[in-house]
Each structure stands twice: as C-alpha cells, then as structure tokens.
Amino acid sequence: MFEPKPMVTRLAFAASDRPEAQEARDALARRYGDTPEAEAQVVVALGGDGFMLETLHRHMESGKPIYGMNRGSVGFLMNEFSEDGLLERINAAERALIHPLRMTAVDIHGETHKALAINEVSLLRQTRQTAKLRITVDRKVRLAELSCDGALVATPAGSTAYNLSAHGPIIPLDARVLALTPISAFRPRRWRGALLSHTAQVKFEVLEADKRPVSAVADNFEVRDVAEVNVSEDREVAMTMLFDAERSLEERVLAEQFSS
C-alpha cells in the first residue's frame, strides 16, 4: 500500500557569510523556526552555488535533503529566494539524487589523498609549462600523452560548471555518463574529450611530474604535486537536492543547452 511522504515541518537554516544571506537566515528563522540540523527534516542553504556545495559536503554522510535559495551570485543550483510559502514549496519540491566522484591521488612523495567531488575532479598545471598526462580508462590506455593546461572528469550535476567553461558537454542528470574534458589541449590539438559510462575507472598519470608539476582538485580540496590520480563515481554515497517543481535541476540542465 502506498504511503504518502511525511510533511516537512522542521527546517534548519544555514547561510554563507554574505550579508544578504545572513539577513535572510535571520528573517526565515524568525518566521519558520530554526531546528538544529541533526533534528531537521530539510536543511535550507542560503547563498550561492559555492555555499550549496559546502552544505552538500557537510551533509554527505547523513543524506539529509538540501533546499537552496539564492542569496549569492550565480545560483544555478539554487531556487529563487522568497520568504513566503517556504514549507509549501519544499513539500512540493522535486528531488534530484546526486552521486559524487571519488578521487584518490598519489603525490610525488608517495602519500595518498582521498576526497569526494560533487561537480568535478580537475588536474591543473602549477607552472608556466604545460602538463603532460597519460589517460587510462578501465585499465586501457586511451591517450598516451596529452599536453594541456589540465583535464577534468565531471558529473552530470557538475557538467554546467567548470566543465562547460572548458567547452565540455552538458549532461542530463539521468544520462548515467561522465564527461572527460581537456583544459586548453595543446597536443593532440583536435581532441575535445569523451563521454564515459558512469561506471568508468579513470586514471591520470602525470608525465615528467618533477619538471611539469600538476595539482588535483576535488571541488574545493586540492592536492599539490600529484603523480597519479584515480577517479570514479561513488554509488554508495547519495545526496538529495530539492528544487521547485517548475524549475527542477533536469529542466535547468536542459534549458542551459539552448541558452545563447
């Protein structure tokens, strides 16, 4: 027998340091109450996309749904801000399930660093010299040497962020693929990247790492002087984002493909 979802009545509010976000938090807390995050049914994040990523990372283990409202600059991952009808909006919201990428990076000293990324894992040159990368997908070398400023692997949710700026493809959320995108490729100059299955295991090896140092970044976690970076989707971790029904994340990703 179908059981309706319990109504959301307990909200926790989190805000970025921006004055408008702090003011919004105070106003909403007065109006709707402010439940401790551990006891809340939904966390309302007030800020921009960067703060939404911070909030998702903070609640990655709990899986608590996050409803964002834009009190920042970009706001692609956020709903429009309004003090009115918040509980009604949240209870009618559509859910987007997000799986992060898991990065395992080994630096030139042999130390291993692990992190999760909601948007992308990117490799970036640290000096004026181009990076040289070898790219392996599912234990098969696909590109023996890529001279570039860097490369990245993006999730569907992150495909409209850095990946799009690097001329990578926009990916629908339900496509079950990842984007592998070069950043300012020098050789082979015509390589524009690839679409990979979400089950793909991607390995980057840094060639001439001592002469051409490279950093690896998983969202906002950076490792300097990497020698090898492995990237794959982690299906064991799931995050839930809430979007107003008429402005779902799927609709935003689709609309972005037709924007000028």
Side-chain angles (χ1 to χ4, degrees):
M1 182 177 178
F2 174 77
E3 295 185 4
K5 293 186 300 182
M7 293 291 289
V8 173
T9 58
R10 302 189 308 276
L11 305 178
F13 295 97
S16 71
D17 293 334
R18 295 174 70 111
E20 56 266 44
Q22 292 290 321
E23 292 171 6
R25 182 196 178 284
D26 293 342
L28 292 168
R30 286 193 299 269
R31 186 164 179 176
Y32 297 98
D34 191 7
T35 304
E37 289 190 355
E39 301 169 18
Q41 294 165 283
V42 170
V43 174
V44 178
L46 302 161
D49 285 349
F51 186 72
M52 170 58 89
L53 290 178
E54 290 179 22
T55 306
L56 286 167
H57 274 282
R58 193 168 71 251
H59 292 280
M60 199 171 282
E61 292 186 5
S62 72
K64 200 175 292 290
I66 311 297
Y67 180 88
M69 286 201 289
N70 189 19
R71 293 284 83 187
S73 52
V74 180
F76 185 84
L77 299 176
M78 314 299 274
N79 298 287
E80 291 185 5
F81 176 77
S82 174
E83 291 185 25
D84 299 329
L86 181 57
L87 288 173
E88 290 79 5
R89 290 171 69 184
I90 289 176
N91 279 293
E94 295 185 8
R95 294 181 172 235
L97 195 64
I98 306 296
H99 297 288
L101 299 173
R102 180 170 293 278
M103 177 187 81
T104 303
V106 180
D107 64 28
I108 59 175
H109 307 292
E111 293 187 31
T112 299
H113 310 263
K114 296 183 178 181
L116 294 175
I118 297 166
N119 273 355
E120 75 279 317
V121 171
S122 54
L123 279 74
L124 305 164
R125 66 184 176 101
Q126 294 177 195
T127 68
R128 67 187 185 283
Q129 291 188 296
T130 59
K132 288 189 177 182
L133 307 175
R134 178 181 294 126
I135 301 177
T136 300
V137 179
D138 293 332
R139 297 180 295 281
K140 182 173 182 178
V141 175
R142 292 295 181 178
L143 208 53
E145 184 176 305
L146 172 66
S147 296
C148 56
D149 280 356
L152 62 85
V153 178
T155 66
S159 66
T160 58
Y162 191 9
N163 173 70
L164 181 59
S165 297
H167 306 291
I170 297 175
I171 304 173
L173 287 185
D174 58 357
R176 298 171 73 87
V177 297
L178 304 173
L180 171 60
T181 303
I183 302 170
S184 300
F186 180 62
R187 288 195 181 92
R189 197 181 299 271
R190 294 182 181 277
W191 189 64
R192 294 293 180 263
L195 288 173
L196 308 176
S197 166
H198 73 104
T199 63
Q201 307 283 323
V202 183
K203 179 169 74 172
F204 297 97
E205 296 171 87
V206 180
L207 309 179
E208 303 178 29
D210 56 338
K211 179 182 178 183
R212 303 171 184 270
V214 169
S215 66
V217 183
D219 284 351
N220 59 355
F221 177 82
E222 182 180 20
V223 181
R224 306 282 287 182
D225 299 315
V226 295
E228 180 180 308
V229 178
N230 290 275
V231 182
S232 61
E233 186 182 67
D234 191 336
R235 301 292 291 186
E236 298 299 316
V237 180
M239 294 153 288
T240 301
M241 300 172 66
L242 302 178
F243 292 91
D244 291 333
E246 71 278 7
R247 286 286 290 149
S248 68
L249 187 56
E250 289 89 345
E251 168 60 26
R252 296 175 197 206
V253 170
L254 180 60
E256 189 72 24
Q257 298 180 75
F258 294 91
S259 64
S260 56

PDB file of all heavy atoms in Angstrom, residues 99-104 115-117 121 138 153 155 178 196-204 229-236:
ATOM      1  N   HIS A  99      25.242  11.588  -7.099  1.00  0.00           N
ATOM      2  CA  HIS A  99      26.338  10.726  -6.652  1.00  0.00           C
ATOM      3  C   HIS A  99      27.659  11.438  -6.936  1.00  0.00           C
ATOM      4  O   HIS A  99      27.867  11.946  -8.046  1.00  0.00           O
ATOM      5  CB  HIS A  99      26.317   9.383  -7.381  1.00  0.00           C
ATOM      6  CG  HIS A  99      25.088   8.574  -7.102  1.00  0.00           C
ATOM      7  ND1 HIS A  99      24.864   7.966  -5.894  1.00  0.00           N
ATOM      8  CD2 HIS A  99      24.012   8.299  -7.886  1.00  0.00           C
ATOM      9  CE1 HIS A  99      23.705   7.317  -5.936  1.00  0.00           C
ATOM     10  NE2 HIS A  99      23.165   7.519  -7.124  1.00  0.00           N
ATOM     11  N   PRO A 100      28.570  11.495  -5.969  1.00  0.00           N
ATOM     12  CA  PRO A 100      29.834  12.211  -6.170  1.00  0.00           C
ATOM     13  C   PRO A 100      30.891  11.353  -6.857  1.00  0.00           C
ATOM     14  O   PRO A 100      30.724  10.134  -7.028  1.00  0.00           O
ATOM     15  CB  PRO A 100      30.266  12.531  -4.736  1.00  0.00           C
ATOM     16  CG  PRO A 100      29.771  11.344  -3.957  1.00  0.00           C
ATOM     17  CD  PRO A 100      28.450  10.952  -4.597  1.00  0.00           C
ATOM     18  N   LEU A 101      31.954  11.997  -7.240  1.00  0.00           N
ATOM     19  CA  LEU A 101      33.155  11.311  -7.710  1.00  0.00           C
ATOM     20  C   LEU A 101      34.091  11.095  -6.531  1.00  0.00           C
ATOM     21  O   LEU A 101      34.189  11.943  -5.648  1.00  0.00           O
ATOM     22  CB  LEU A 101      33.875  12.156  -8.771  1.00  0.00           C
ATOM     23  CG  LEU A 101      33.102  12.467 -10.048  1.00  0.00           C
ATOM     24  CD1 LEU A 101      33.890  13.451 -10.909  1.00  0.00           C
ATOM     25  CD2 LEU A 101      32.798  11.199 -10.833  1.00  0.00           C
ATOM     26  N   ARG A 102      34.758   9.964  -6.540  1.00  0.00           N
ATOM     27  CA  ARG A 102      35.784   9.710  -5.526  1.00  0.00           C
ATOM     28  C   ARG A 102      37.161   9.862  -6.173  1.00  0.00           C
ATOM     29  O   ARG A 102      37.458   9.205  -7.170  1.00  0.00           O
ATOM     30  CB  ARG A 102      35.645   8.316  -4.924  1.00  0.00           C
ATOM     31  CG  ARG A 102      36.699   8.021  -3.855  1.00  0.00           C
ATOM     32  CD  ARG A 102      36.410   6.757  -3.099  1.00  0.00           C
ATOM     33  NE  ARG A 102      35.202   6.884  -2.280  1.00  0.00           N
ATOM     34  CZ  ARG A 102      35.175   7.451  -1.088  1.00  0.00           C
ATOM     35  NH1 ARG A 102      36.278   7.981  -0.557  1.00  0.00           N
ATOM     36  NH2 ARG A 102      34.038   7.518  -0.412  1.00  0.00           N
ATOM     37  N   MET A 103      37.961  10.747  -5.620  1.00  0.00           N
ATOM     38  CA  MET A 103      39.322  10.967  -6.108  1.00  0.00           C
ATOM     39  C   MET A 103      40.321  10.327  -5.150  1.00  0.00           C
ATOM     40  O   MET A 103      40.255  10.535  -3.940  1.00  0.00           O
ATOM     41  CB  MET A 103      39.629  12.462  -6.214  1.00  0.00           C
ATOM     42  CG  MET A 103      41.061  12.767  -6.644  1.00  0.00           C
ATOM     43  SD  MET A 103      41.485  14.542  -6.589  1.00  0.00           S
ATOM     44  CE  MET A 103      41.831  14.762  -4.825  1.00  0.00           C
ATOM     45  N   THR A 104      41.235   9.545  -5.713  1.00  0.00           N
ATOM     46  CA  THR A 104      42.371   9.014  -4.961  1.00  0.00           C
ATOM     47  C   THR A 104      43.627   9.495  -5.665  1.00  0.00           C
ATOM     48  O   THR A 104      43.891   9.096  -6.803  1.00  0.00           O
ATOM     49  CB  THR A 104      42.349   7.483  -4.890  1.00  0.00           C
ATOM     50  OG1 THR A 104      41.110   7.055  -4.306  1.00  0.00           O
ATOM     51  CG2 THR A 104      43.504   6.960  -4.056  1.00  0.00           C
ATOM     52  N   ALA A 115      39.352  12.217  -1.592  1.00  0.00           N
ATOM     53  CA  ALA A 115      38.322  13.248  -1.433  1.00  0.00           C
ATOM     54  C   ALA A 115      37.155  12.924  -2.354  1.00  0.00           C
ATOM     55  O   ALA A 115      37.291  12.163  -3.321  1.00  0.00           O
ATOM     56  CB  ALA A 115      38.886  14.631  -1.762  1.00  0.00           C
ATOM     57  N   LEU A 116      36.002  13.500  -2.033  1.00  0.00           N
ATOM     58  CA  LEU A 116      34.810  13.360  -2.864  1.00  0.00           C
ATOM     59  C   LEU A 116      34.519  14.680  -3.557  1.00  0.00           C
ATOM     60  O   LEU A 116      34.753  15.751  -2.995  1.00  0.00           O
ATOM     61  CB  LEU A 116      33.610  12.942  -2.015  1.00  0.00           C
ATOM     62  CG  LEU A 116      33.674  11.550  -1.377  1.00  0.00           C
ATOM     63  CD1 LEU A 116      32.478  11.335  -0.462  1.00  0.00           C
ATOM     64  CD2 LEU A 116      33.739  10.464  -2.435  1.00  0.00           C
ATOM     65  N   ALA A 117      33.990  14.596  -4.772  1.00  0.00           N
ATOM     66  CA  ALA A 117      33.676  15.794  -5.552  1.00  0.00           C
ATOM     67  C   ALA A 117      32.261  15.692  -6.089  1.00  0.00           C
ATOM     68  O   ALA A 117      31.899  14.681  -6.702  1.00  0.00           O
ATOM     69  CB  ALA A 117      34.663  15.967  -6.701  1.00  0.00           C
ATOM     70  N   VAL A 121      36.429  16.523 -10.703  1.00  0.00           N
ATOM     71  CA  VAL A 121      37.827  16.378 -10.297  1.00  0.00           C
ATOM     72  C   VAL A 121      38.659  16.920 -11.446  1.00  0.00           C
ATOM     73  O   VAL A 121      38.499  16.494 -12.593  1.00  0.00           O
ATOM     74  CB  VAL A 121      38.204  14.909 -10.025  1.00  0.00           C
ATOM     75  CG1 VAL A 121      39.707  14.775  -9.815  1.00  0.00           C
ATOM     76  CG2 VAL A 121      37.450  14.380  -8.815  1.00  0.00           C
ATOM     77  N   ASP A 138      39.374   2.311 -17.595  1.00  0.00           N
ATOM     78  CA  ASP A 138      39.123   0.889 -17.364  1.00  0.00           C
ATOM     79  C   ASP A 138      40.327   0.040 -17.759  1.00  0.00           C
ATOM     80  O   ASP A 138      40.221  -0.947 -18.493  1.00  0.00           O
ATOM     81  CB  ASP A 138      37.866   0.437 -18.119  1.00  0.00           C
ATOM     82  CG  ASP A 138      36.599   1.079 -17.555  1.00  0.00           C
ATOM     83  OD1 ASP A 138      36.581   1.407 -16.357  1.00  0.00           O
ATOM     84  OD2 ASP A 138      35.643   1.273 -18.330  1.00  0.00           O
ATOM     85  N   VAL A 153      37.245  15.417 -14.934  1.00  0.00           N
ATOM     86  CA  VAL A 153      36.120  14.487 -15.026  1.00  0.00           C
ATOM     87  C   VAL A 153      34.965  15.134 -14.279  1.00  0.00           C
ATOM     88  O   VAL A 153      35.117  15.520 -13.113  1.00  0.00           O
ATOM     89  CB  VAL A 153      36.443  13.115 -14.408  1.00  0.00           C
ATOM     90  CG1 VAL A 153      35.226  12.194 -14.491  1.00  0.00           C
ATOM     91  CG2 VAL A 153      37.636  12.474 -15.104  1.00  0.00           C
ATOM     92  N   THR A 155      30.697  15.253 -13.186  1.00  0.00           N
ATOM     93  CA  THR A 155      29.425  14.578 -13.022  1.00  0.00           C
ATOM     94  C   THR A 155      28.372  15.278 -13.877  1.00  0.00           C
ATOM     95  O   THR A 155      28.579  16.416 -14.323  1.00  0.00           O
ATOM     96  CB  THR A 155      28.976  14.616 -11.555  1.00  0.00           C
ATOM     97  OG1 THR A 155      28.710  15.987 -11.198  1.00  0.00           O
ATOM     98  CG2 THR A 155      30.053  14.048 -10.626  1.00  0.00           C
ATOM     99  N   LEU A 178      29.696  10.274 -17.558  1.00  0.00           N
ATOM    100  CA  LEU A 178      30.598  11.283 -17.025  1.00  0.00           C
ATOM    101  C   LEU A 178      31.283  11.976 -18.194  1.00  0.00           C
ATOM    102  O   LEU A 178      31.465  11.385 -19.263  1.00  0.00           O
ATOM    103  CB  LEU A 178      31.661  10.643 -16.123  1.00  0.00           C
ATOM    104  CG  LEU A 178      31.157   9.802 -14.950  1.00  0.00           C
ATOM    105  CD1 LEU A 178      32.341   9.113 -14.263  1.00  0.00           C
ATOM    106  CD2 LEU A 178      30.383  10.651 -13.960  1.00  0.00           C
ATOM    107  N   LEU A 196      31.962   9.124 -20.962  1.00  0.00           N
ATOM    108  CA  LEU A 196      32.265   7.818 -20.400  1.00  0.00           C
ATOM    109  C   LEU A 196      31.076   7.288 -19.618  1.00  0.00           C
ATOM    110  O   LEU A 196      30.288   8.054 -19.060  1.00  0.00           O
ATOM    111  CB  LEU A 196      33.473   7.908 -19.459  1.00  0.00           C
ATOM    112  CG  LEU A 196      34.741   8.568 -20.006  1.00  0.00           C
ATOM    113  CD1 LEU A 196      35.781   8.651 -18.900  1.00  0.00           C
ATOM    114  CD2 LEU A 196      35.282   7.806 -21.203  1.00  0.00           C
ATOM    115  N   SER A 197      30.968   5.977 -19.539  1.00  0.00           N
ATOM    116  CA  SER A 197      29.965   5.367 -18.678  1.00  0.00           C
ATOM    117  C   SER A 197      30.197   5.801 -17.234  1.00  0.00           C
ATOM    118  O   SER A 197      31.339   6.017 -16.808  1.00  0.00           O
ATOM    119  CB  SER A 197      30.043   3.844 -18.776  1.00  0.00           C
ATOM    120  OG  SER A 197      29.306   3.234 -17.730  1.00  0.00           O
ATOM    121  N   HIS A 198      29.124   5.907 -16.466  1.00  0.00           N
ATOM    122  CA  HIS A 198      29.271   6.314 -15.066  1.00  0.00           C
ATOM    123  C   HIS A 198      30.021   5.265 -14.245  1.00  0.00           C
ATOM    124  O   HIS A 198      30.431   5.541 -13.121  1.00  0.00           O
ATOM    125  CB  HIS A 198      27.897   6.591 -14.459  1.00  0.00           C
ATOM    126  CG  HIS A 198      27.090   5.359 -14.184  1.00  0.00           C
ATOM    127  ND1 HIS A 198      26.921   4.853 -12.920  1.00  0.00           N
ATOM    128  CD2 HIS A 198      26.420   4.529 -15.025  1.00  0.00           C
ATOM    129  CE1 HIS A 198      26.176   3.768 -12.979  1.00  0.00           C
ATOM    130  NE2 HIS A 198      25.859   3.553 -14.236  1.00  0.00           N
ATOM    131  N   THR A 199      30.202   4.078 -14.810  1.00  0.00           N
ATOM    132  CA  THR A 199      30.967   3.032 -14.113  1.00  0.00           C
ATOM    133  C   THR A 199      32.459   3.079 -14.447  1.00  0.00           C
ATOM    134  O   THR A 199      33.225   2.280 -13.907  1.00  0.00           O
ATOM    135  CB  THR A 199      30.429   1.639 -14.482  1.00  0.00           C
ATOM    136  OG1 THR A 199      30.616   1.410 -15.891  1.00  0.00           O
ATOM    137  CG2 THR A 199      28.943   1.522 -14.149  1.00  0.00           C
ATOM    138  N   ALA A 200      32.872   3.994 -15.306  1.00  0.00           N
ATOM    139  CA  ALA A 200      34.267   4.038 -15.773  1.00  0.00           C
ATOM    140  C   ALA A 200      35.236   4.338 -14.629  1.00  0.00           C
ATOM    141  O   ALA A 200      34.942   5.126 -13.734  1.00  0.00           O
ATOM    142  CB  ALA A 200      34.423   5.076 -16.875  1.00  0.00           C
ATOM    143  N   GLN A 201      36.400   3.701 -14.708  1.00  0.00           N
ATOM    144  CA  GLN A 201      37.511   3.971 -13.798  1.00  0.00           C
ATOM    145  C   GLN A 201      38.567   4.739 -14.590  1.00  0.00           C
ATOM    146  O   GLN A 201      39.135   4.213 -15.552  1.00  0.00           O
ATOM    147  CB  GLN A 201      38.111   2.659 -13.278  1.00  0.00           C
ATOM    148  CG  GLN A 201      37.096   1.716 -12.656  1.00  0.00           C
ATOM    149  CD  GLN A 201      36.690   2.126 -11.265  1.00  0.00           C
ATOM    150  OE1 GLN A 201      37.511   2.620 -10.486  1.00  0.00           O
ATOM    151  NE2 GLN A 201      35.419   1.928 -10.933  1.00  0.00           N
ATOM    152  N   VAL A 202      38.793   5.989 -14.218  1.00  0.00           N
ATOM    153  CA  VAL A 202      39.706   6.854 -14.966  1.00  0.00           C
ATOM    154  C   VAL A 202      40.989   7.049 -14.164  1.00  0.00           C
ATOM    155  O   VAL A 202      40.938   7.370 -12.972  1.00  0.00           O
ATOM    156  CB  VAL A 202      39.065   8.222 -15.263  1.00  0.00           C
ATOM    157  CG1 VAL A 202      39.998   9.091 -16.112  1.00  0.00           C
ATOM    158  CG2 VAL A 202      37.720   8.037 -15.965  1.00  0.00           C
ATOM    159  N   LYS A 203      42.122   6.862 -14.845  1.00  0.00           N
ATOM    160  CA  LYS A 203      43.416   7.094 -14.198  1.00  0.00           C
ATOM    161  C   LYS A 203      44.205   8.113 -15.004  1.00  0.00           C
ATOM    162  O   LYS A 203      44.345   7.992 -16.225  1.00  0.00           O
ATOM    163  CB  LYS A 203      44.216   5.798 -14.078  1.00  0.00           C
ATOM    164  CG  LYS A 203      45.587   6.000 -13.425  1.00  0.00           C
ATOM    165  CD  LYS A 203      46.264   4.674 -13.079  1.00  0.00           C
ATOM    166  CE  LYS A 203      46.801   3.978 -14.305  1.00  0.00           C
ATOM    167  NZ  LYS A 203      47.619   2.792 -13.936  1.00  0.00           N
ATOM    168  N   PHE A 204      44.704   9.133 -14.304  1.00  0.00           N
ATOM    169  CA  PHE A 204      45.607  10.114 -14.892  1.00  0.00           C
ATOM    170  C   PHE A 204      47.008   9.863 -14.333  1.00  0.00           C
ATOM    171  O   PHE A 204      47.184   9.805 -13.111  1.00  0.00           O
ATOM    172  CB  PHE A 204      45.199  11.544 -14.532  1.00  0.00           C
ATOM    173  CG  PHE A 204      43.854  11.963 -15.046  1.00  0.00           C
ATOM    174  CD1 PHE A 204      42.736  11.886 -14.225  1.00  0.00           C
ATOM    175  CD2 PHE A 204      43.699  12.459 -16.331  1.00  0.00           C
ATOM    176  CE1 PHE A 204      41.490  12.294 -14.675  1.00  0.00           C
ATOM    177  CE2 PHE A 204      42.460  12.862 -16.799  1.00  0.00           C
ATOM    178  CZ  PHE A 204      41.347  12.778 -15.966  1.00  0.00           C
ATOM    179  N   VAL A 229      46.376  10.092 -10.368  1.00  0.00           N
ATOM    180  CA  VAL A 229      45.052  10.407  -9.838  1.00  0.00           C
ATOM    181  C   VAL A 229      44.045   9.425 -10.426  1.00  0.00           C
ATOM    182  O   VAL A 229      43.958   9.263 -11.646  1.00  0.00           O
ATOM    183  CB  VAL A 229      44.629  11.851 -10.184  1.00  0.00           C
ATOM    184  CG1 VAL A 229      43.227  12.141  -9.655  1.00  0.00           C
ATOM    185  CG2 VAL A 229      45.633  12.855  -9.619  1.00  0.00           C
ATOM    186  N   ASN A 230      43.294   8.760  -9.559  1.00  0.00           N
ATOM    187  CA  ASN A 230      42.242   7.847  -9.988  1.00  0.00           C
ATOM    188  C   ASN A 230      40.889   8.442  -9.633  1.00  0.00           C
ATOM    189  O   ASN A 230      40.694   8.956  -8.519  1.00  0.00           O
ATOM    190  CB  ASN A 230      42.411   6.486  -9.308  1.00  0.00           C
ATOM    191  CG  ASN A 230      43.634   5.739  -9.818  1.00  0.00           C
ATOM    192  OD1 ASN A 230      43.567   5.054 -10.834  1.00  0.00           O
ATOM    193  ND2 ASN A 230      44.757   5.903  -9.138  1.00  0.00           N
ATOM    194  N   VAL A 231      39.948   8.343 -10.586  1.00  0.00           N
ATOM    195  CA  VAL A 231      38.635   8.965 -10.420  1.00  0.00           C
ATOM    196  C   VAL A 231      37.556   7.968 -10.819  1.00  0.00           C
ATOM    197  O   VAL A 231      37.649   7.325 -11.875  1.00  0.00           O
ATOM    198  CB  VAL A 231      38.494  10.235 -11.284  1.00  0.00           C
ATOM    199  CG1 VAL A 231      37.139  10.892 -11.043  1.00  0.00           C
ATOM    200  CG2 VAL A 231      39.624  11.217 -10.998  1.00  0.00           C
ATOM    201  N   SER A 232      36.525   7.847  -9.997  1.00  0.00           N
ATOM    202  CA  SER A 232      35.367   7.019 -10.324  1.00  0.00           C
ATOM    203  C   SER A 232      34.163   7.511  -9.555  1.00  0.00           C
ATOM    204  O   SER A 232      34.295   8.194  -8.538  1.00  0.00           O
ATOM    205  CB  SER A 232      35.637   5.538  -9.996  1.00  0.00           C
ATOM    206  OG  SER A 232      35.898   5.388  -8.612  1.00  0.00           O
ATOM    207  N   GLU A 233      32.986   7.190 -10.041  1.00  0.00           N
ATOM    208  CA  GLU A 233      31.767   7.570  -9.340  1.00  0.00           C
ATOM    209  C   GLU A 233      31.576   6.669  -8.127  1.00  0.00           C
ATOM    210  O   GLU A 233      31.802   5.461  -8.194  1.00  0.00           O
ATOM    211  CB  GLU A 233      30.570   7.447 -10.279  1.00  0.00           C
ATOM    212  CG  GLU A 233      29.265   7.952  -9.686  1.00  0.00           C
ATOM    213  CD  GLU A 233      28.092   7.767 -10.620  1.00  0.00           C
ATOM    214  OE1 GLU A 233      27.715   6.599 -10.876  1.00  0.00           O
ATOM    215  OE2 GLU A 233      27.540   8.771 -11.104  1.00  0.00           O
ATOM    216  N   ASP A 234      31.140   7.271  -7.026  1.00  0.00           N
ATOM    217  CA  ASP A 234      30.885   6.508  -5.806  1.00  0.00           C
ATOM    218  C   ASP A 234      29.381   6.361  -5.633  1.00  0.00           C
ATOM    219  O   ASP A 234      28.701   7.260  -5.141  1.00  0.00           O
ATOM    220  CB  ASP A 234      31.497   7.217  -4.589  1.00  0.00           C
ATOM    221  CG  ASP A 234      31.499   6.340  -3.346  1.00  0.00           C
ATOM    222  OD1 ASP A 234      30.657   5.417  -3.277  1.00  0.00           O
ATOM    223  OD2 ASP A 234      32.327   6.571  -2.460  1.00  0.00           O
ATOM    224  N   ARG A 235      28.832   5.205  -6.027  1.00  0.00           N
ATOM    225  CA  ARG A 235      27.393   4.971  -5.948  1.00  0.00           C
ATOM    226  C   ARG A 235      26.922   4.695  -4.533  1.00  0.00           C
ATOM    227  O   ARG A 235      25.722   4.638  -4.268  1.00  0.00           O
ATOM    228  CB  ARG A 235      27.012   3.794  -6.850  1.00  0.00           C
ATOM    229  CG  ARG A 235      27.348   3.961  -8.315  1.00  0.00           C
ATOM    230  CD  ARG A 235      26.529   5.017  -8.992  1.00  0.00           C
ATOM    231  NE  ARG A 235      25.131   4.673  -9.135  1.00  0.00           N
ATOM    232  CZ  ARG A 235      24.247   5.414  -9.803  1.00  0.00           C
ATOM    233  NH1 ARG A 235      24.640   6.551 -10.370  1.00  0.00           N
ATOM    234  NH2 ARG A 235      22.987   5.048  -9.884  1.00  0.00           N
ATOM    235  N   GLU A 236      27.862   4.487  -3.609  1.00  0.00           N
ATOM    236  CA  GLU A 236      27.488   4.229  -2.225  1.00  0.00           C
ATOM    237  C   GLU A 236      27.097   5.513  -1.488  1.00  0.00           C
ATOM    238  O   GLU A 236      26.508   5.462  -0.418  1.00  0.00           O
ATOM    239  CB  GLU A 236      28.650   3.550  -1.480  1.00  0.00           C
ATOM    240  CG  GLU A 236      29.049   2.200  -2.055  1.00  0.00           C
ATOM    241  CD  GLU A 236      27.922   1.196  -1.999  1.00  0.00           C
ATOM    242  OE1 GLU A 236      27.244   1.124  -0.951  1.00  0.00           O
ATOM    243  OE2 GLU A 236      27.699   0.495  -3.010  1.00  0.00           O
TER     244      GLU A 236
END
